[in-house]
Amino acid sequence: MDIGNRKGEMRLRAQHAMTKRILVVEDNPDNRILITDVLSSLDYEVLVAEDGEMGLTMARAEIPDLILMDLSLPKVDGWTATKEIKANDSLAHIPIIALTAHAMVGDREKALKAGCDDYISKPIDLRELASKLMHFLG
Ligand code: MN
């Protein structure tokens, strides 16, 4: 392999290593598709979990760079999943943005109390989502 090709390969690897991985924990299929499409178009790698239990399993196994956490979820709700992640020393550093279904102040406060770093109200404003991702992931 000549040096030119090798440099190109190294550049590709470096770019891949910098790709941020976001775990989306969301039980609503339409929201999952919408969020996955948006994150992919922003060049994030997307991991998907359909309930809180799967979200916890994937968080532990994959250690994503950020988690988008729906709150109302089957099996384990988003508040409980967030508390468990934030109580785990190897996961506590992961920023968690709650997706709050209702514009309910109580839900947001509960999300922040559970350890969420921020929240976004549904219906999701895609510009707000992109700017919060930039804030946490740089
Ligand atoms: Mn839900």
Side-chain angles (χ1 to χ4, degrees), residues 69-73 76-79 82 98-101 107-108 111 116:
M69 180 75 78
D70 183 30
L71 294 174
S72 177
L73 289 167
V76 175
D77 68 48
W79 294 284
T82 297
L99 304 174
T100 65
D107 270 5
R108 294 173 186 176
C116 290

Side-chain angles (χ1 to χ4, degrees), residues 7-133:
K7 268 188 184 165
E9 187 183 282
M10 283 169 67
R11 200 175 306 127
L12 278 177
R13 279 199 194 141
Q15 274 176 359
H16 185 73
M18 286 190 308
T19 302
K20 302 288 186 180
R21 296 154 73 243
I22 299 177
L23 172 61
V24 179
V25 189
E26 167 63 84
D27 61 318
N28 179 295
D30 292 339
N31 281 339
R32 274 206 305 273
I33 291 166
L34 172 74
I35 295 167
T36 302
D37 283 353
V38 172
L39 297 184
S40 301
S41 77
L42 295 170
D43 285 333
Y44 294 113
E45 189 180 325
V46 188
L47 308 164
V48 176
E50 300 177 7
D51 61 57
E53 191 178 87
M54 192 176 165
L56 277 171
T57 302
M58 289 188 68
R60 292 185 190 114
E62 303 287 343
I63 313 193
D65 296 294
L66 183 143
I67 299 173
L68 290 176
M69 180 75 78
D70 183 30
L71 294 174
S72 177
L73 289 167
K75 295 189 184 176
V76 175
D77 68 48
W79 294 284
T80 306
T82 297
K83 277 183 204 157
E84 290 204 22
I85 289 166
K86 291 297 183 179
N88 181 326
D89 284 345
S90 50
L91 303 178
H93 67 280
I94 302 171
I96 300 180
I97 301 177
L99 304 174
T100 65
H102 332 282
M104 283 178 64
V105 177
D107 270 5
R108 294 173 186 176
E109 282 175 354
K110 250 174 88 186
L112 297 177
K113 250 181 216 159
C116 290
D117 299 274
D118 206 340
Y119 58 80
I120 294 174
S121 303
K122 294 182 191 175
I124 295 168
D125 176 335
L126 298 180
R127 263 200 252 163
E128 182 189 13
L129 173 62
S131 100
K132 291 201 173 186
L133 295 177

